[in-house]
């Protein structure tokens, strides 16, 4: 499909009121379990689990958008590319940026890991060699993308981390089952909240790698957690037991305390 044809097809979808996907990233490692945008939106991180041979592992792919301007169009379309990735010895099930240089990820083994990068990840143009960028992001390459499935031509091999970028990782291992969700508040960037299939919610000091508190009360796997962006001491969790619980994180000051949240079961019926 030529660039004018692609533009015409996009205009047709817009007229029909259809949302248009402007960029697709397909992991070459496995299925993506979670995604997080960095605070400035400059990068994204995707948590991926993979099985190779008899080995179960995980990857956190760090993505950045490049801008490719078509000669026939004034607008530039962002093209997602992996600029580097972090590897782990178990599946990566959740991920959360804490700053432009720090991200946390949870694993299927119950680890909560905090990776501190020596500098912010590179832009896509820095992560890819110039020849590779030209080959994978040119209008000719984009024309080969399958319009129905979004499948794109295979990308060139990517570095695990560029030589100029190093990562130090802290692993916290208190959970007894997979970490399903991570959250933090912009008011307390170093305080991290995790939910797990072990039915607990835990609070961590991400800067020093310390467990602060364990919150019990759910009777089945915790599938999602989130922190209030207005009230720093409040967090919530949702579980397969059918409940949403609200937690007061101020109790996390006492690491020996196990708290029980407010069970918020709500039934809504529409007539």
């Amino acid at each position: 499909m030529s660039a004018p044809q692609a533009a015409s097809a996009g205009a047709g979808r817009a007229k029909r009121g259809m949302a248009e996907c402007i960029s697709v990233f397909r992991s070459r490692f496995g299925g993506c379990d979670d995604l997080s945008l960095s605070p400035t939106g400059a990068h994204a991180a995707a948590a991926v689990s993979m099985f190779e041979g008899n080995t179960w592992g995980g990857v956190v792919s760090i993505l950045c958008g490049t801008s490719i301007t078509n000669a026939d169009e004034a607008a530039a379309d962002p093209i997602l590319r992996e600029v580097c990735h972090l590897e782990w010895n178990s599946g990566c099930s959740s991920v959360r940026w804490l700053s432009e240089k720090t991200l946390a990820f949870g694993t299927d083994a119950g680890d909560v890991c905090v990776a501190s990068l020596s500098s912010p990840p590179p832009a896509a143009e820095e992560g890819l060699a110039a020849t590779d960028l030209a080959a994978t992001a040119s209008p000719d390459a984009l024309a080969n993308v399958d319009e129905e499935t979004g499948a794109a031509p295979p990308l060139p091999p990517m570095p695990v981390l560029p030589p100029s970028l190093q990562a130090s990782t802290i692993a916290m291992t208190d959970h007894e089952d997979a970490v399903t969700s991570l959250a933090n508040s912009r008011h307390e960037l170093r305080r991290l909240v995790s939910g797990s299939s072990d039915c607990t919610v835990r609070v961590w000091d991400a800067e020093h790698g310390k467990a602060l508190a364990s919150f019990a009360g759910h009777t089945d796997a915790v599938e999602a957690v989130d922190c209030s962006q207005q009230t720093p001491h409040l967090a919530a969790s949702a579980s397969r037991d059918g409940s949403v619980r609200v937690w007061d994180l101020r109790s996390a000051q006492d690491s020996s305390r196990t708290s029980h949240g407010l069970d918020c079961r709500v039934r809504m019926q529409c007539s």
Side-chain angles (χ1 to χ4, degrees):
M1 178 183 292
S2 67
Q5 288 174 324
S8 176
R13 289 192 291 271
K15 288 180 180 178
R16 294 194 296 271
M18 297 174 62
E20 182 179 2
C21 175
I22 61 174
S23 184
V24 176
F25 166 75
R26 293 191 178 277
S27 173
R28 55 199 171 89
F29 298 106
C32 297
D33 293 325
D34 197 15
L35 179 75
S36 177
L37 291 177
S38 66
T40 64
H43 295 87
V48 179
S49 298
M50 60 182 180
F51 189 75
E52 293 182 339
N54 295 322
T55 304
W56 185 251
V59 165
V60 175
S61 292
I62 298 177
L63 316 175
C64 185
T66 65
S67 292
I68 307 301
T69 302
N70 295 327
D72 299 303
E73 298 178 56
D77 293 330
I79 308 300
L80 281 176
R81 292 288 181 256
E82 180 190 85
V83 293
C84 54
H85 66 264
L86 304 168
E87 295 181 351
W88 201 249
N89 56 9
S90 57
C92 294
S93 50
S94 52
V95 65
R96 182 79 175 183
W97 285 96
L98 305 182
S99 71
E100 291 299 317
K101 297 197 301 180
T102 308
L103 56 84
F105 58 95
T107 76
D108 292 338
D111 305 323
V112 174
C113 305
V114 179
S116 299
L117 306 178
S118 57
S119 62
E125 289 84 351
E126 298 168 329
L128 286 170
T131 53
D132 292 336
L133 182 62
T136 58
S138 66
D140 288 340
L142 295 178
N144 294 325
V145 174
D146 189 295
E147 190 176 8
E148 295 296 325
T149 65
L155 295 177
M158 297 300 301
V160 175
L161 284 176
S164 61
L165 185 63
Q166 302 297 320
S168 60
T169 304
I170 299 172
M172 300 172 285
T173 59
D174 288 26
H175 277 302
E176 298 178 358
D177 207 335
V179 177
T180 56
S181 183
L182 296 170
N184 71 326
S185 168
R186 64 174 181 265
H187 302 287
E188 293 282 353
L189 294 179
R190 76 177 190 178
R191 185 170 61 192
L192 183 66
V193 178
S194 62
S196 170
S197 295
D198 66 8
C199 309
T200 67
V201 174
R202 293 182 182 269
V203 185
W204 313 87
D205 179 338
E207 182 178 2
H208 298 100
K210 297 193 308 181
L212 297 178
S214 174
F215 294 165
H218 287 297
T219 58
D220 205 339
V222 177
E223 293 292 343
V225 293
D226 204 358
C227 295
S228 171
Q229 301 303 317
Q230 299 297 325
T231 308
H233 63 270
L234 291 182
S237 58
S239 167
R240 285 187 177 272
D241 64 14
S243 69
V244 173
R245 290 176 177 263
V246 180
W247 309 94
D248 186 341
L249 299 183
R250 288 174 295 189
S251 61
Q253 302 303 317
D254 180 0
S255 61
S256 65
R257 178 178 176 182
T258 298
S259 300
H260 296 267
L262 173 65
D263 192 347
C264 302
R265 294 176 184 266
V266 179
R267 180 183 296 273
M268 183 173 68
Q269 187 172 4
C270 299
S271 57

